[in-house]
Amino acid sequence: MHEVANFIDLNLIMIIYLFLVGFVGGLVSGFIGSGGAFVLTPGMMSLGVPGAVAVASNMCHKFPKALVGAIKRYKYGQVDIKLGLIMAVSATVGVQIGIQIQHAILARWGQSGSNLYVSLAFVLILVTVGGYVFRDARKCARSGGVEVVSALAKKLQKIHLPPMIYFKTADVKISLWLTIPVGLATGMLAATIAVGGFIGVPGMIYVIGTSSLIASASELVIAFVMGLGGSINWGFHGLIDIRLTLIILAGSLFGVQLGAIGTTYVKDHMIKVVMGTIMLMVAVSRALAIPKYLNELDVIQMDPAVISLMTQTSFVIMVTALLVGTVIILVGIWKGRKAEKKDRLLHAPPIPETASH
Amino acid sequence: MTQVPKKKPTAKMLLFGGLSVILYTTLFLKSETVMQFFTRGGIYAALPIATVFLFSYIHGSFAGNFWSVVGIEAQKTRLQEKMEQQKSRARRTERPRPRLRAHT
């Protein structure tokens, strides 16, 4: 039934490392809806965990984390469950399409070809979408943090193609058919680079027309559904290392709730700032990995020492991307709390003077 | 109107924290047996899935209460206010209207 996998022996340093990476990943996911888990798979593999076990254990921590984050953000009125579930259905189909494409590439060009495809997809999508998100975040910041519905979303909402669906929390009415491409793309990206939210969240903002708060919160519903399905599949093959999953989960459940709380302290466009920054930095990281695969495919010839240096730099930039996101979120929370305290002091009722004479 | 300071959920945090420690200690003390069953595949896939649900409830409650106890809590958002307004509007419309029944 299941493949024989090597499960590693854990020591205290590994446990602390996984807990911290889990916390940081959870914090980013709770804030932008996804994007925290992409460092975990390479992070676990750097400890000697086999690739398939790393992917399986990562996915198995992802869905309960998304569930806890979604419940927390639902309490803040930010989750559109209907939108999340409808998107999750088409995203599940998208995952299957993405897997088929991966298999076809693997069969035609081998492991290096597959790695090259994944890295190219990373760079192309993250530069295009991340660049757009980042530019829009700067525009919002200049206009005092006011978010406007994109022109594309406004046009699409006017197309009357039954069945039309009204998403109550998002306050958006749009044809079901127009949500499907966004869901499919989310799933395909999830199957390719393991972070579907890099398409899902911008897709919900710019194509469907929701606010970034609703999009990032509803993405957690999609992540839960897809993660649960994927984990059942990995569990069926006996590849989940429950010890790794639960250590990461221990950190990420602290992080995801802090990230969710953080969304209530910052202006909406901060979600776009964090998302755009992480996406662009990850794009640079993956671009540095491309020469390695081109070298393996004999397209270019490079010195192995240079390739090794580029690979290490790529990993460091990926970790830095997550840390930069973490710093932006924590500073945002800190500033928000400071402003709240100041506001409370200003509006506090005056202390009644006692009669001294 | 003055705001009444909310009571910190210290007892809840300690309860869920204690339960969380028990769960994690059991897992690591019995890790060999756990790994043996949890990686069998097939129908045994239910074991890791059920375990993460249980841990996410216990440890998630501990983490949530921990942030409340250290004083990091969410601000009331515009969306929450909108949701509460919608609920109170719905309650108002649900109330049956008084009817005058005249027997002729």
Side-chain angles (χ1 to χ4, degrees), chain B residues 21-53:
Chain B
V21 168
I22 292 170
L23 283 177
Y24 272 97
T25 311
T26 313
L27 172 90
F28 281 96
L29 287 178
K30 303 276 176 199
S31 64
E32 271 185 35
T33 319
V34 168
M35 287 300 284
Q36 202 187 336
F37 283 97
F38 281 44
T39 56
R40 279 193 179 175
I43 195 75
Y44 287 88
L47 291 174
I49 305 293
T51 305
V52 290
F53 271 116

Side-chain angles (χ1 to χ4, degrees), chain A residues 236 246 250 254 257 264-265 337, chain B residues 24 42 59-60 67 71 73 75:
Chain A
F236 203 78
L246 292 175
F254 276 102
Q257 299 196 62
T264 66
Y265 280 97
R337 282 171 59 81
Chain B
Y24 272 97
H59 188 66
W67 290 125
E73 281 190 286
Q75 269 187 327

Side-chain angles (χ1 to χ4, degrees), chain A residues 1-2 7 10 15 23 60 63-64 67-68 72 74-78 168-169 171 213-214 224 228 231-232 235-238 240-243 245-247 249-251 253-255 257-258 261 264-265 268 333 336-337 340 344 349, chain B residues 1-3 24 27-28 31-32 34-35 38-49 51-53 55-68 70-83 86-87:
Chain A
M1 175 66 69
H2 71 97
F7 296 104
L10 289 166
I15 292 173
F23 173 77
C60 194
F63 83 84
L67 175 68
V68 170
K72 195 93 179 165
Y74 177 77
K75 287 180 186 163
Y76 307 152
Q78 299 172 347
K168 198 176 165 187
T169 309
D171 197 19
L213 263 183
I214 303 272
F224 167 71
L228 177 61
S231 299
I232 292 171
F236 203 78
H237 291 93
I240 297 169
D241 187 335
I242 194 74
R243 302 165 308 158
T245 299
L246 292 175
I247 295 166
L249 194 63
L253 290 181
F254 276 102
Q257 299 196 62
L258 185 61
I261 292 169
T264 66
Y265 280 97
D268 296 8
I333 296 175
R337 282 171 59 81
E340 190 202 22
R344 219 185 294 153
Chain B
M1 208 173 81
T2 51
Q3 273 190 330
Y24 272 97
L27 172 90
F28 281 96
S31 64
E32 271 185 35
V34 168
M35 287 300 284
F38 281 44
T39 56
R40 279 193 179 175
I43 195 75
Y44 287 88
L47 291 174
I49 305 293
T51 305
V52 290
F53 271 116
F55 273 69
S56 59
Y57 173 67
I58 302 286
H59 188 66
S61 303
F62 165 57
N65 288 312
F66 170 80
W67 290 125
S68 299
V70 296
I72 299 175
E73 281 190 286
Q75 269 187 327
K76 201 168 202 178
T77 60
R78 277 177 287 113
L79 285 164
Q80 255 176 310
E81 281 164 12
K82 199 174 125 189
M83 207 163 69
Q86 277 172 349
K87 270 185 191 165

